[in-house]
Amino acid sequence: VQLQASGGGLVQNGGSLRLSCAASGRTFSSYAMGWFRQAPGKEREFVAAISWNGHSTFYADSVKGRCTISRDNAKNTVYLQMNRLKPEDTAVYYCAADRQPWRSVVPVIRTSFDSWGQGTLVTVSS
């Protein structure tokens, strides 16, 4: 599957952004989707994931209550709404597709995902 992330940019501390990830090449609605991020000099880390049917979500503690992941299966797109952004949210954000269809639990580890977008940079100024 091909994934194209967009929506990153420069935002002030406390601001909001909505990231989008458009998918093609595979039955989007059959696979869970996730967002990860990688800050300079750090490992790529999990941010949020949503089940294939959109009924279940899971968030990293660092973004819980500030971010919302959603999907529109008719548009083959997954979103990440980020509010109350902090400078420590600065990173390249990657969307990813689950390697297994119709997974019964929301995947949260990197190895559960086999397709990755190119990343979109989010910079939060203090």
Side-chain angles (χ1 to χ4, degrees), residues 17-79:
L17 280 176
R18 188 175 83 154
L19 306 184
S20 300
C21 176
S24 62
R26 193 163 73 180
T27 307
F28 176 79
S29 58
S30 299
Y31 295 84
M33 297 293 295
W35 286 96
F36 288 73
R37 67 186 181 186
Q38 188 166 16
K42 295 188 176 181
E43 294 288 318
R44 190 171 300 189
E45 64 176 6
F46 171 80
V47 176
I50 187 167
S51 61
W52 60 273
N53 56 9
H55 291 174
S56 300
T57 57
F58 194 86
Y59 298 92
D61 287 344
S62 58
V63 304
K64 195 174 298 182
R66 299 189 297 119
C67 292
T68 302
I69 187 171
S70 60
R71 66 189 298 158
D72 185 339
N73 286 344
K75 295 183 178 180
N76 288 356
T77 302
V78 62
Y79 305 96

